[in-house]
Amino acid sequence: MPSMPNLKFDSGRPIIVVEAKISGKNLTATAQLVFDTGASLVILPWKITNALGIKIDPNNTIQTATASNIETVPVVIIPEMSVLGQKIKNVKAIVKDLPEGSGVDGLLGLSFIKNFNVKIDFKKGILTLEK
Amino acid sequence: MKITELKKKYKDEWVLAEVVREDKFNQVIEAKPIAHSEKRSEVYRKLSEVKGKKHVTTIYTGKLPEKGMVYAFNAKSKI
C-alpha cells in the first residue's frame, strides 16, 4: 500500500511550514508557506508571483485589513501547485509580502487546504493530506 | 548539495537555489545554491534575474520564529 502524503514537523514550534511547488510559465518555484487554516486564501509574495509569470489583473483586487492598516492587494489564480505531492489546479491566492522577519514566503490558506482531508497529529508531529 | 548541508553552510540566511532532487512528496532533498543573503529582499531580487526553464527554491535557514517573536498573521479580507 502506498504511503499517505505526510510531513514530519517539529510540534515544538509555533507554526507548521510546508514546501509548496508552484508551476509558472517557465519557472517552477518551491516556496516555504505556513500551513494556515485561518487564512481564506493562499498568500504569495510579489517577487515570486512575478517570477513565475502569474498574471496579475489590476482590476481584480481585494482589501485586507490588518491591525495597523487597510491595503488593496491583487487576487490571482495559480495555475498549478503541489504540497506533499498533492497537485491542485487553479488555486486562488492574494499577492502580498509577509514581514521580512517572518522567515517564510507566504501562507498556505484554505483555497488550497479545502481540497483535502487534513490530519494534524501534534503528538507525533505529522501532517497528512488526503484527497 | 544536500539541503541539510546547505542549511549548515548558510546558517541564519535566506538562500535561493536550483532544485536538483526532490522526494515523491516534492520535498527538496538536493539543491544548487544561486544566491544567499541575510535579507529576503536580496534573495527575491536574485530570483527576478533567473532565466529559463528552471525549478528553484527559497529557503530560510534560521530558527522560526526568531527569539522573542510570535506569529499573528490574521487579517480579514473584503471581497
Short mmCIF file of all heavy atoms in Angstrom, two decimals, chain A residues 37-77:
data_model
loop_
_atom_site.label_atom_id
_atom_site.label_comp_id
_atom_site.label_asym_id
_atom_site.label_seq_id
_atom_site.Cartn_x
_atom_site.Cartn_y
_atom_site.Cartn_z
N THR A 37 -4.89 27.36 8.50
CA THR A 37 -6.33 27.17 8.28
C THR A 37 -7.13 28.43 8.62
O THR A 37 -8.32 28.51 8.36
CB THR A 37 -6.87 25.99 9.12
OG1 THR A 37 -6.58 26.26 10.49
CG2 THR A 37 -6.26 24.67 8.71
N GLY A 38 -6.45 29.43 9.18
CA GLY A 38 -7.11 30.69 9.49
C GLY A 38 -7.07 31.68 8.33
O GLY A 38 -7.68 32.74 8.39
N ALA A 39 -6.37 31.31 7.27
CA ALA A 39 -6.28 32.19 6.09
C ALA A 39 -7.23 31.66 5.01
O ALA A 39 -7.19 30.48 4.67
CB ALA A 39 -4.85 32.22 5.56
N SER A 40 -8.07 32.52 4.48
CA SER A 40 -9.03 32.08 3.46
C SER A 40 -8.32 31.68 2.17
O SER A 40 -8.74 30.75 1.49
CB SER A 40 -10.02 33.20 3.15
OG SER A 40 -10.68 33.59 4.32
N LEU A 41 -7.28 32.43 1.84
CA LEU A 41 -6.61 32.21 0.56
C LEU A 41 -5.12 31.96 0.77
O LEU A 41 -4.56 32.31 1.81
CB LEU A 41 -6.79 33.44 -0.34
CG LEU A 41 -8.22 33.88 -0.65
CD1 LEU A 41 -8.19 35.17 -1.47
CD2 LEU A 41 -8.97 32.81 -1.40
N VAL A 42 -4.52 31.40 -0.24
CA VAL A 42 -3.05 31.30 -0.28
C VAL A 42 -2.50 32.72 -0.40
O VAL A 42 -3.11 33.57 -1.06
CB VAL A 42 -2.62 30.45 -1.49
CG1 VAL A 42 -1.11 30.55 -1.74
CG2 VAL A 42 -3.04 28.99 -1.29
N ILE A 43 -1.39 32.99 0.24
CA ILE A 43 -0.72 34.28 0.09
C ILE A 43 0.68 34.06 -0.47
O ILE A 43 1.46 33.28 0.09
CB ILE A 43 -0.62 35.05 1.42
CG1 ILE A 43 -2.02 35.38 1.94
CG2 ILE A 43 0.21 36.32 1.26
CD1 ILE A 43 -2.04 36.17 3.24
N LEU A 44 0.95 34.72 -1.60
CA LEU A 44 2.27 34.62 -2.23
C LEU A 44 2.91 36.01 -2.28
O LEU A 44 2.21 37.01 -2.46
CB LEU A 44 2.14 34.13 -3.68
CG LEU A 44 1.89 32.65 -3.95
CD1 LEU A 44 1.94 32.40 -5.45
CD2 LEU A 44 2.89 31.77 -3.24
N PRO A 45 4.24 36.07 -2.17
CA PRO A 45 4.90 37.38 -2.28
C PRO A 45 4.96 37.87 -3.72
O PRO A 45 4.91 37.07 -4.66
CB PRO A 45 6.31 37.11 -1.73
CG PRO A 45 6.54 35.67 -1.96
CD PRO A 45 5.20 35.00 -1.89
N TRP A 46 5.12 39.17 -3.86
CA TRP A 46 5.15 39.79 -5.19
C TRP A 46 6.23 39.21 -6.09
O TRP A 46 5.99 38.89 -7.25
CB TRP A 46 5.37 41.30 -5.04
CG TRP A 46 4.14 42.05 -4.68
CD1 TRP A 46 3.69 42.34 -3.42
CD2 TRP A 46 3.17 42.60 -5.58
NE1 TRP A 46 2.51 43.03 -3.49
CE2 TRP A 46 2.17 43.22 -4.79
CE3 TRP A 46 3.05 42.64 -6.96
CZ2 TRP A 46 1.07 43.86 -5.35
CZ3 TRP A 46 1.96 43.28 -7.53
CH2 TRP A 46 0.98 43.87 -6.72
N LYS A 47 7.43 39.12 -5.56
CA LYS A 47 8.57 38.72 -6.42
C LYS A 47 8.41 37.30 -6.95
O LYS A 47 8.75 37.03 -8.09
CB LYS A 47 9.89 38.84 -5.63
CG LYS A 47 10.29 40.27 -5.32
CD LYS A 47 10.88 40.98 -6.53
CE LYS A 47 11.45 42.34 -6.13
NZ LYS A 47 11.94 43.10 -7.29
N ILE A 48 7.90 36.39 -6.12
CA ILE A 48 7.73 35.01 -6.59
C ILE A 48 6.59 34.96 -7.62
O ILE A 48 6.70 34.32 -8.66
CB ILE A 48 7.47 34.05 -5.40
CG1 ILE A 48 8.75 33.89 -4.59
CG2 ILE A 48 6.96 32.69 -5.89
CD1 ILE A 48 8.67 32.93 -3.41
N THR A 49 5.52 35.69 -7.35
CA THR A 49 4.38 35.73 -8.28
C THR A 49 4.83 36.26 -9.64
O THR A 49 4.52 35.68 -10.69
CB THR A 49 3.26 36.63 -7.72
OG1 THR A 49 2.94 36.19 -6.42
CG2 THR A 49 2.01 36.57 -8.60
N ASN A 50 5.61 37.34 -9.63
CA ASN A 50 6.10 37.92 -10.88
C ASN A 50 7.08 36.98 -11.59
O ASN A 50 7.01 36.81 -12.81
CB ASN A 50 6.79 39.27 -10.62
CG ASN A 50 5.77 40.35 -10.33
OD1 ASN A 50 4.65 40.33 -10.83
ND2 ASN A 50 6.13 41.30 -9.48
N ALA A 51 7.99 36.37 -10.83
CA ALA A 51 8.99 35.48 -11.43
C ALA A 51 8.32 34.29 -12.12
O ALA A 51 8.80 33.78 -13.13
CB ALA A 51 9.97 35.00 -10.37
N LEU A 52 7.22 33.85 -11.54
CA LEU A 52 6.50 32.70 -12.11
C LEU A 52 5.68 33.08 -13.35
O LEU A 52 5.17 32.21 -14.05
CB LEU A 52 5.57 32.08 -11.06
CG LEU A 52 6.28 31.31 -9.94
CD1 LEU A 52 5.31 31.04 -8.81
CD2 LEU A 52 6.87 30.02 -10.46
N GLY A 53 5.53 34.38 -13.57
CA GLY A 53 4.75 34.83 -14.72
C GLY A 53 3.26 34.67 -14.52
O GLY A 53 2.49 34.58 -15.49
N ILE A 54 2.83 34.66 -13.26
CA ILE A 54 1.39 34.56 -12.96
C ILE A 54 0.75 35.92 -13.26
O ILE A 54 1.23 36.96 -12.80
CB ILE A 54 1.16 34.14 -11.50
CG1 ILE A 54 1.66 32.70 -11.30
CG2 ILE A 54 -0.32 34.25 -11.12
CD1 ILE A 54 1.66 32.24 -9.85
N LYS A 55 -0.32 35.87 -14.02
CA LYS A 55 -0.96 37.10 -14.48
C LYS A 55 -1.61 37.86 -13.32
O LYS A 55 -2.39 37.29 -12.55
CB LYS A 55 -2.02 36.75 -15.53
CG LYS A 55 -2.59 37.94 -16.24
CD LYS A 55 -3.65 37.50 -17.23
CE LYS A 55 -4.38 38.71 -17.78
NZ LYS A 55 -5.57 38.33 -18.56
N ILE A 56 -1.27 39.14 -13.21
CA ILE A 56 -1.88 39.99 -12.20
C ILE A 56 -2.80 40.98 -12.90
O ILE A 56 -2.35 41.78 -13.72
CB ILE A 56 -0.81 40.74 -11.37
CG1 ILE A 56 0.03 39.73 -10.57
CG2 ILE A 56 -1.45 41.75 -10.43
CD1 ILE A 56 1.18 40.33 -9.79
N ASP A 57 -4.08 40.91 -12.57
CA ASP A 57 -5.06 41.82 -13.15
C ASP A 57 -5.30 42.97 -12.17
O ASP A 57 -5.82 42.75 -11.07
CB ASP A 57 -6.37 41.03 -13.40
CG ASP A 57 -7.48 41.92 -13.96
OD1 ASP A 57 -7.26 43.14 -14.09
OD2 ASP A 57 -8.55 41.38 -14.25
N PRO A 58 -4.91 44.19 -12.54
CA PRO A 58 -5.06 45.32 -11.60
C PRO A 58 -6.50 45.61 -11.22
O PRO A 58 -6.77 46.31 -10.24
CB PRO A 58 -4.44 46.50 -12.37
CG PRO A 58 -4.38 46.09 -13.79
CD PRO A 58 -4.33 44.60 -13.82
N ASN A 59 -7.44 45.06 -11.99
CA ASN A 59 -8.85 45.28 -11.67
C ASN A 59 -9.42 44.21 -10.73
O ASN A 59 -10.56 44.32 -10.29
CB ASN A 59 -9.68 45.31 -12.96
CG ASN A 59 -9.27 46.48 -13.83
OD1 ASN A 59 -9.11 47.60 -13.35
ND2 ASN A 59 -9.05 46.22 -15.11
N ASN A 60 -8.65 43.16 -10.50
CA ASN A 60 -9.11 42.09 -9.62
C ASN A 60 -8.36 42.18 -8.29
O ASN A 60 -7.28 41.63 -8.13
CB ASN A 60 -8.87 40.73 -10.29
CG ASN A 60 -9.53 39.60 -9.53
OD1 ASN A 60 -10.27 39.83 -8.58
ND2 ASN A 60 -9.25 38.38 -9.94
N THR A 61 -8.94 42.92 -7.36
CA THR A 61 -8.26 43.15 -6.07
C THR A 61 -9.24 42.93 -4.92
O THR A 61 -10.45 42.91 -5.11
CB THR A 61 -7.73 44.60 -5.99
OG1 THR A 61 -8.83 45.50 -6.13
CG2 THR A 61 -6.70 44.89 -7.06
N ILE A 62 -8.67 42.78 -3.74
CA ILE A 62 -9.47 42.77 -2.52
C ILE A 62 -8.78 43.64 -1.48
O ILE A 62 -7.58 43.94 -1.63
CB ILE A 62 -9.69 41.36 -1.94
CG1 ILE A 62 -8.36 40.70 -1.58
CG2 ILE A 62 -10.51 40.50 -2.86
CD1 ILE A 62 -8.54 39.43 -0.79
N GLN A 63 -9.52 44.00 -0.47
CA GLN A 63 -8.92 44.78 0.61
C GLN A 63 -8.59 43.84 1.77
O GLN A 63 -9.40 42.99 2.14
CB GLN A 63 -9.90 45.84 1.11
CG GLN A 63 -10.03 47.01 0.15
CD GLN A 63 -10.87 48.12 0.74
OE1 GLN A 63 -11.86 47.86 1.41
NE2 GLN A 63 -10.47 49.35 0.50
N THR A 64 -7.39 43.97 2.31
CA THR A 64 -7.05 43.21 3.50
C THR A 64 -6.85 44.20 4.64
O THR A 64 -6.20 45.23 4.46
CB THR A 64 -5.78 42.38 3.31
OG1 THR A 64 -4.69 43.24 3.12
CG2 THR A 64 -5.90 41.42 2.14
N ALA A 65 -7.44 43.86 5.75
CA ALA A 65 -7.33 44.74 6.92
C ALA A 65 -6.49 44.05 7.97
O ALA A 65 -6.77 42.92 8.37
CB ALA A 65 -8.71 45.04 7.47
N THR A 66 -5.43 44.70 8.36
CA THR A 66 -4.61 44.18 9.45
C THR A 66 -4.79 45.09 10.65
O THR A 66 -5.58 46.03 10.60
CB THR A 66 -3.12 44.14 9.04
OG1 THR A 66 -2.68 45.48 8.83
CG2 THR A 66 -2.93 43.34 7.77
N ALA A 67 -4.03 44.83 11.70
CA ALA A 67 -4.17 45.64 12.91
C ALA A 67 -3.80 47.10 12.64
O ALA A 67 -4.33 48.01 13.27
CB ALA A 67 -3.30 45.07 14.00
N SER A 68 -2.90 47.31 11.69
CA SER A 68 -2.39 48.67 11.53
C SER A 68 -2.92 49.43 10.31
O SER A 68 -2.88 50.65 10.29
CB SER A 68 -0.85 48.62 11.45
OG SER A 68 -0.45 47.77 10.41
N ASN A 69 -3.37 48.71 9.29
CA ASN A 69 -3.83 49.45 8.10
C ASN A 69 -4.73 48.60 7.21
O ASN A 69 -4.92 47.40 7.45
CB ASN A 69 -2.63 49.97 7.28
CG ASN A 69 -1.83 48.84 6.66
OD1 ASN A 69 -1.95 47.69 7.05
ND2 ASN A 69 -1.01 49.17 5.70
N ILE A 70 -5.26 49.25 6.18
CA ILE A 70 -6.04 48.54 5.17
C ILE A 70 -5.30 48.70 3.85
O ILE A 70 -4.90 49.81 3.50
CB ILE A 70 -7.46 49.12 5.05
CG1 ILE A 70 -8.24 48.86 6.34
CG2 ILE A 70 -8.20 48.52 3.85
CD1 ILE A 70 -9.61 49.48 6.37
N GLU A 71 -5.09 47.61 3.16
CA GLU A 71 -4.44 47.74 1.85
C GLU A 71 -5.17 46.93 0.79
O GLU A 71 -5.84 45.94 1.10
CB GLU A 71 -2.96 47.35 1.92
CG GLU A 71 -2.68 45.93 2.29
CD GLU A 71 -1.19 45.61 2.30
OE1 GLU A 71 -0.49 45.94 1.34
OE2 GLU A 71 -0.73 45.03 3.30
N THR A 72 -5.06 47.39 -0.44
CA THR A 72 -5.68 46.71 -1.56
C THR A 72 -4.64 45.83 -2.23
O THR A 72 -3.55 46.30 -2.56
CB THR A 72 -6.22 47.75 -2.57
OG1 THR A 72 -7.14 48.60 -1.87
CG2 THR A 72 -6.94 47.07 -3.72
N VAL A 73 -4.98 44.56 -2.39
CA VAL A 73 -4.00 43.62 -2.95
C VAL A 73 -4.64 42.84 -4.10
O VAL A 73 -5.85 42.61 -4.12
CB VAL A 73 -3.48 42.64 -1.87
CG1 VAL A 73 -2.72 43.36 -0.79
CG2 VAL A 73 -4.62 41.83 -1.28
N PRO A 74 -3.82 42.40 -5.07
CA PRO A 74 -4.36 41.65 -6.19
C PRO A 74 -4.76 40.22 -5.84
O PRO A 74 -4.14 39.59 -4.98
CB PRO A 74 -3.20 41.62 -7.19
CG PRO A 74 -2.12 42.45 -6.64
CD PRO A 74 -2.39 42.67 -5.21
N VAL A 75 -5.78 39.75 -6.51
CA VAL A 75 -6.18 38.34 -6.43
C VAL A 75 -5.70 37.68 -7.72
O VAL A 75 -5.91 38.22 -8.81
CB VAL A 75 -7.71 38.19 -6.33
CG1 VAL A 75 -8.10 36.72 -6.27
CG2 VAL A 75 -8.25 38.93 -5.12
N VAL A 76 -5.03 36.54 -7.59
CA VAL A 76 -4.54 35.84 -8.78
C VAL A 76 -4.98 34.38 -8.73
O VAL A 76 -5.43 33.89 -7.69
CB VAL A 76 -2.99 35.89 -8.88
CG1 VAL A 76 -2.50 37.31 -9.05
CG2 VAL A 76 -2.33 35.23 -7.67
N ILE A 77 -4.84 33.72 -9.87
CA ILE A 77 -5.09 32.29 -9.93
C ILE A 77 -3.76 31.59 -10.22
O ILE A 77 -3.12 31.86 -11.24
CB ILE A 77 -6.11 31.94 -11.04
CG1 ILE A 77 -7.46 32.63 -10.78
CG2 ILE A 77 -6.29 30.42 -11.14
CD1 ILE A 77 -8.19 32.19 -9.53
#
